[in-house]
Amino acid sequence: MAKMQMNKDLVESAVLGASVLGGGGGSEEGAIEAGELALKIGTPVLLDVDDLEPWQTVVSCSMVTCPYRKDPFIAPRARVRSVELLLESGIGRPAGLIPNECGSFWIVNGLIESAILGIPLVDAPCNGRGHPTPEMGSMGLHRVPDYVSIQSFAGGNPAKGAYIEGVLKGSIETVSNMIRQDACVVGGILAVARNPVEASYIRDNAAPGAVRQAIRIGDAMKKAREKGPRAVIEAAASMISGSILYCGAIETVDRFTAGGMDTGTVSMGGYEISFWKEYMTLEKNGERVATFPDLINIFSCETGRAVSSDRLLPGMEAAVICASRRELVLGGGMRSPELFEPAEKILGKEILAYLHL
């Protein structure tokens, strides 16, 4: 057994490290708050995938957001309710819960659910980095013949009459798109439990060990804090054998919404980075330097914290880092070229030609 009792220090490290792996990936403060609430409620533990029997069931916990977030309210009860709905639909009690990806806001998915329901967490996120589409975080299940996705969701503010919950079955793409639309209807965010699979499947198609990788990165960042923001950025980069390519003012940010996500480009010091929620391509004077799923990230030079694409502003002092995809723990969705086609069309950038999957 490799059981790890989660505590406040581990949660903070996981969130910090996941902000590196996820290209920011949402509010670190909100994620840490959710993690600390879980620790007050119960005693969540983290298992290795090898601690489970191959036939035991594992469920993915996620949050689905809408770019038009008017009231991004999510109650702890909604997180738990999403799992309960899956159980009520006839799915047997799972042996473990996994987060859908590594991003600061996403890596704590499953913590509150684990604390209340007493179901262990498993260190095998659907993907060991951030990704823009649910299909990319579905561990290649879209390629399994006749696979029917089952996803349960809950969220919205009951005080405003906006609460919604339900269970949907169908193709991964269809169900995921419908839940994203529902998230927009209720103000911006829903908790989702989805795609129960056997432990043997996540062993081969998820990202085993990615949570512990995030914790190691976060530990290094915390140790570097006393030396200042630059040292924190250097510590993060060194943990993934990455490079700091530039540190200076952001010159331009061109942002719009496409495919239900923040999209655009940011320019600084001769570098141009395109983003579709995640940072997707990095070019220097028109020459390609890195391409998703390589890790491209932007850090604040003033705080040493990762900055997600929706928070970029012209004039911000920022550092660009990148690391090879070979330094990451990637899930099965990163080995499916067809899942990259929407990003290529929306961004107008070649991606498939650089994948070499």
Side-chain angles (χ1 to χ4, degrees):
M1 293 285 287
K3 181 168 67 174
M4 177 185 289
Q5 181 79 50
M6 297 302 292
N7 57 42
K8 184 176 180 179
D9 186 57
L10 289 172
V11 167
E12 182 185 8
S13 292
V15 170
L16 283 175
S19 74
V20 178
L21 298 171
S27 167
E28 293 178 26
E29 293 77 12
I32 290 173
E33 181 181 338
E36 290 180 348
L37 175 60
L39 297 175
K40 292 178 181 177
I41 294 171
T43 54
V45 297
L46 183 71
L47 304 180
D48 283 340
V49 66
D50 290 333
D51 294 327
L52 302 181
E53 296 294 337
W55 49 266
Q56 290 184 298
T57 300
V58 178
V59 166
S60 303
C61 293
S62 179
M63 300 286 246
V64 172
T65 61
C66 171
Y68 312 106
R69 293 185 286 273
K70 299 177 182 178
D71 183 20
F73 174 88
I74 190 71
R77 177 59 186 151
R79 293 178 181 262
V80 178
R81 183 62 182 151
S82 68
V83 179
E84 290 176 340
L85 286 164
L86 203 62
L87 302 182
E88 291 172 7
S89 73
I91 299 300
R93 183 177 173 85
L97 304 173
I98 59 175
N100 60 310
E101 65 181 82
C102 284
S104 55
F105 188 65
W106 315 111
I107 201 166
V108 298
N109 287 334
L111 260 175
I112 290 175
E113 298 92 316
S114 174
I116 291 180
L117 298 174
I119 302 171
L121 298 164
V122 182
D123 185 2
C126 297
N127 194 11
R129 61 148 300 146
H131 51 256
T133 68
E135 293 83 358
M136 288 182 178
S138 295
M139 303 177 288
L141 287 169
H142 69 289
R143 286 184 156 185
V144 177
D146 301 321
Y147 180 79
V148 176
S149 176
I150 177 169
Q151 304 187 32
S152 53
F153 58 93
N157 193 338
K160 296 184 177 181
Y163 180 81
I164 188 173
E165 64 176 43
V167 180
L168 292 173
K169 295 181 180 181
S171 72
I172 287 174
E173 181 178 11
T174 299
V175 173
S176 298
N177 286 339
M178 291 188 69
I179 292 177
R180 188 177 296 278
Q181 292 175 23
D182 288 338
C184 292
V185 169
V186 300
I189 188 166
L190 290 172
V192 181
R194 63 191 185 195
N195 300 337
V197 293
E198 292 185 346
S200 59
Y201 189 88
I202 68 167
R203 182 180 293 110
D204 297 333
N205 296 283
V211 174
R212 283 177 170 81
Q213 182 183 35
I215 290 171
R216 290 193 297 271
I217 295 169
D219 284 344
M221 294 170 72
K222 289 193 293 187
K223 290 176 182 176
R225 279 174 175 167
E226 63 182 20
K227 298 179 182 178
R230 175 76 184 198
V232 173
I233 299 170
E234 290 174 349
S238 68
M239 292 298 294
I240 49 174
S241 300
S243 302
I244 300 175
L245 301 180
Y246 175 78
C247 191
I250 292 176
E251 294 158 11
T252 63
V253 179
D254 180 17
R255 183 182 290 111
F256 56 97
T257 299
M261 286 175 277
D262 292 313
T263 309
T265 58
V266 54
S267 301
M268 60 185 91
Y271 288 96
E272 181 183 86
I273 300 172
S274 71
F275 55 88
W276 190 40
K277 183 186 168 194
E278 321 298 340
Y279 299 115
M280 301 297 291
T281 64
L282 172 64
E283 297 174 346
K284 176 66 180 292
N285 297 323
E287 295 292 327
R288 186 66 58 87
V289 176
T291 305
F292 182 94
D294 292 331
L295 184 67
I296 305 163
N297 208 337
I298 296 177
F299 284 73
S300 166
C301 292
E302 296 179 358
T303 66
R305 308 280 281 272
V307 183
S308 56
S309 59
D310 61 336
R311 298 188 177 188
L312 297 173
L313 295 171
M316 179 184 291
E317 291 291 319
V320 177
I321 75 166
C322 76
S324 169
R325 68 196 72 177
R326 297 178 181 85
E327 302 299 325
L328 310 177
V329 188
L330 300 178
M334 298 291 94
R335 298 189 290 271
S336 300
E338 66 275 12
L339 298 185
F340 295 77
E341 292 176 1
E344 193 172 65
K345 292 177 182 178
I346 286 173
L347 294 171
K349 299 277 187 180
E350 281 194 335
I351 294 177
L352 293 172
Y354 293 91
L355 290 182
H356 309 298
L357 297 176

